[in-house]
Amino acid sequence: MEGVSICLFLMLFIFIFLNKINAAELDIISDSQFLTEADTLVSETRIFELGFFRPDNTENRYLGIWYKQDTSRTVVWVANRNHPLPGVSPLVFKIVDPGILGIFNNNTMIWSSNATMTSPNATAKLLDTGNLVLIDQQRKMTWQSFDYPTDTLLYHMKLGKDYSRGIEWGLSSWKSGQDPAPGEFTLRTDLDGYPDDKLKQGALVKFRGDPWRNLLVTGSSKFDKNLTLIYSAVITEKEKSFKFYVENTSLISRLTLTSSGELQNWVWVEDSKNWKLSLEYPIDMCDTYNVCGAYGTCQVDWMQQTCTCLDKQKFVPRNQKNWSGGCVRRTLLDCKNGSDGFIKYSNLKLPDTQGTWLNMSMNLEECKAKCLQNCTCMAFALPDDTLGGKGCVLWFNDLLDMRQ
């Protein structure tokens, strides 16, 4: 009996040892330490986790990042979304010379980080922001997953473009709940003029966000009594970018573009251990892009959408029954004789900024003078009142997509 007990003990010990090898939680990937299908890479305070996963009802395998405490495994980033891996052949995620991350299927690389800067002896870590980074020996970042978003925007991720590196940040929906390949909906920054973000279905604009602003919003919500949201915009020759984050880092939130074309903000509720929808765009009919046409404004009263002309004395609807034609002038604009001037509008969503002229050093009076010099200038505005009265946007085309 004693010999049998020793044998059982040794077998149990070997089983536990092998199971530990085959299901490890790593904190780093290096030249000598790689990730297999059973392993995961975990951020320092265990907020995020990276590993291989299979979407529901499919055998395709992907490498992705999700929230570790979320047992439903809500994926926020996918590496090989264009290269699903069917079958049962073993997968490995590792670093290869000269410092590139790669997914290997039977020793064949099917996805790589494609880093422009490479370095031997590089290491990869998953940060508590959800950013997978590749770092060289001098602790310099050579690649990051935040530069290649999929369908989800996390805190400190950016929308826009880095002109110096030629990298553009935007979201693209999953094709379906079971297929993370890029779907038909995208959220990207319109960089032709003062930047704003447009949600498109193919080439068709479905929804336009407000023009960018630096903004600090302090208040309370049902998720956090002391909520401070921080919106940060950068507009320079080298970069145009926009990001958001919260002052209270314990509040976990994500912005996701769904496969059906909704932009949803979800907040993690720790007490119930699940996600709650806090906001969804489009909100109402007035969020439909350019629903009232040129020089038309949209307003929702008692759940009913109404369109009106921006200035009822100067404009008239092109078609009372179909507002897609917008509004037209009653009389031609008299710019040269100076009989026409400007009217100030408040609490109005700025018109579509595509094709606008931008100068971030002008003040409002200089902006007005600049607009008066050109009879094709339709409007001017200070885009961001947090910039100390600086910044000028001029519109030269029809004014589109306004709402109260």
Side-chain angles (χ1 to χ4, degrees):
M1 289 295 293
E2 185 177 351
V4 173
S5 299
I6 294 173
C7 181
L8 288 174
F9 174 77
L10 287 174
M11 289 176 65
L12 181 61
F13 178 79
I14 291 170
F15 172 78
I16 293 173
F17 179 73
L18 289 174
N19 188 60
K20 183 177 180 181
I21 292 176
N22 292 329
E25 285 188 358
L26 309 179
D27 60 0
I28 196 171
I29 295 175
S30 64
D31 291 340
S32 59
Q33 191 166 344
F34 56 86
L35 186 143
T36 68
E37 279 194 80
D39 304 327
T40 58
L41 181 68
V42 180
S43 67
E44 184 176 359
T45 60
R46 304 175 68 80
I47 298 175
F48 286 97
E49 188 171 37
L50 175 145
F52 291 100
F53 73 97
R54 287 182 172 90
D56 293 339
N57 303 317
T58 176
E59 290 301 312
N60 290 333
R61 294 168 295 171
Y62 301 88
L63 182 78
I65 297 173
W66 55 84
Y67 292 92
K68 185 165 179 58
Q69 72 269 44
D70 179 9
T71 56
S72 62
R73 189 173 284 186
T74 301
V75 176
V76 298
W77 183 78
V78 183
N80 57 313
R81 64 188 309 197
N82 287 308
H83 303 283
L85 293 164
V88 294
S89 55
L91 301 178
V92 175
F93 184 51
K94 63 181 180 179
I95 295 177
V96 293
D97 287 334
I100 296 174
L101 280 168
I103 301 174
F104 290 82
N105 184 13
N106 280 335
N107 295 319
T108 300
M109 182 185 289
I110 56 91
W111 177 90
S112 75
S113 58
N114 197 24
T116 55
M117 295 185 297
T118 57
S119 172
N121 300 319
T123 56
K125 291 187 67 175
L126 181 60
L127 306 183
D128 282 330
T129 57
N131 193 10
L132 175 65
V133 297
L134 196 57
I135 303 170
D136 65 15
Q137 290 176 297
Q138 284 73 44
R139 307 290 298 169
K140 184 178 181 180
M141 186 173 64
T142 60
W143 182 89
Q144 61 174 344
S145 62
F146 271 19
D147 281 338
Y148 306 93
T150 52
D151 69 328
T152 300
L153 192 73
L154 303 174
Y155 296 153
H156 298 285
M157 287 181 73
K158 296 177 180 179
L159 294 173
K161 186 172 183 178
D162 183 335
Y163 290 95
S164 61
R165 295 187 296 148
I167 291 178
E168 191 167 346
W169 305 293
L171 304 182
S172 58
S173 66
W174 283 28
K175 187 171 287 187
S176 70
Q178 292 75 41
D179 187 354
E184 58 181 331
F185 294 97
T186 58
L187 180 72
R188 299 199 181 280
T189 303
D190 191 338
L191 299 165
D192 179 20
Y194 191 86
D196 58 14
D197 301 313
K198 288 187 170 74
L199 195 163
K200 294 183 178 181
Q201 183 177 17
L204 179 66
V205 179
K206 304 292 288 185
F207 166 75
R208 180 180 66 95
D210 289 323
W212 292 354
R213 296 178 64 199
N214 289 288
L215 198 62
L216 188 147
V217 180
T218 302
S220 62
S221 75
K222 57 185 177 182
F223 305 110
D224 192 312
K225 293 182 179 179
N226 299 302
L227 177 65
T228 300
L229 276 169
I230 301 166
Y231 300 90
S232 176
V234 174
I235 302 176
T236 66
E237 291 183 357
K238 293 183 178 180
E239 179 180 322
K240 288 182 180 178
S241 66
F242 183 79
K243 65 181 180 180
F244 82 106
Y245 54 98
V246 291
E247 198 171 67
N248 179 6
T249 56
S250 64
L251 184 68
I252 296 175
S253 174
R254 59 184 170 87
L255 189 69
T256 299
L257 179 59
T258 71
S259 57
S260 54
E262 293 89 18
L263 196 60
Q264 297 179 337
N265 189 78
W266 294 87
V267 174
W268 177 258
V269 180
E270 184 62 29
D271 291 344
S272 57
K273 301 290 184 185
N274 62 11
W275 294 97
K276 295 293 184 183
L277 183 65
S278 65
L279 196 61
E280 184 175 46
Y281 292 103
I283 295 175
D284 50 42
M285 283 299 297
C286 283
D287 272 342
T288 302
Y289 177 73
N290 199 30
V291 67
C292 294
Y295 302 102
T297 62
C298 187
Q299 188 169 355
V300 174
D301 291 315
W302 303 102
M303 301 302 290
Q304 184 175 358
Q305 169 226 323
T306 58
C307 291
T308 58
C309 290
L310 189 64
D311 183 342
K312 294 180 181 179
Q313 293 182 342
K314 298 285 186 180
F315 292 87
V316 62
R318 187 184 298 272
N319 185 333
Q320 289 280 5
K321 295 181 179 180
N322 183 1
W323 273 88
S324 62
C327 301
V328 294
R329 294 184 183 276
R330 293 180 184 271
T331 58
L332 293 177
L333 179 67
D334 187 6
C335 169
K336 293 182 179 180
N337 294 325
S339 59
D340 281 318
F342 295 106
I343 300 175
K344 181 180 179 180
Y345 290 91
S346 301
N347 301 318
L348 189 72
K349 179 181 180 180
L350 289 181
D352 189 341
T353 56
Q354 183 176 3
T356 54
W357 182 86
L358 172 65
N359 184 304
M360 297 305 293
S361 61
M362 282 185 173
N363 60 36
L364 197 59
E365 284 303 312
E366 292 170 331
C367 191
K368 178 180 178 180
K370 183 73 174 177
C371 190
L372 283 171
Q373 292 173 5
N374 192 327
C375 284
T376 63
C377 183
M378 296 292 103
F380 70 94
L382 179 71
D384 189 345
D385 54 12
T386 68
L387 299 176
K390 296 291 185 179
C392 171
V393 179
L394 303 183
W395 283 262
F396 294 94
N397 300 314
D398 289 341
L399 306 184
L400 308 176
D401 194 43
M402 295 174 287
R403 70 168 294 169
Q404 296 291 331

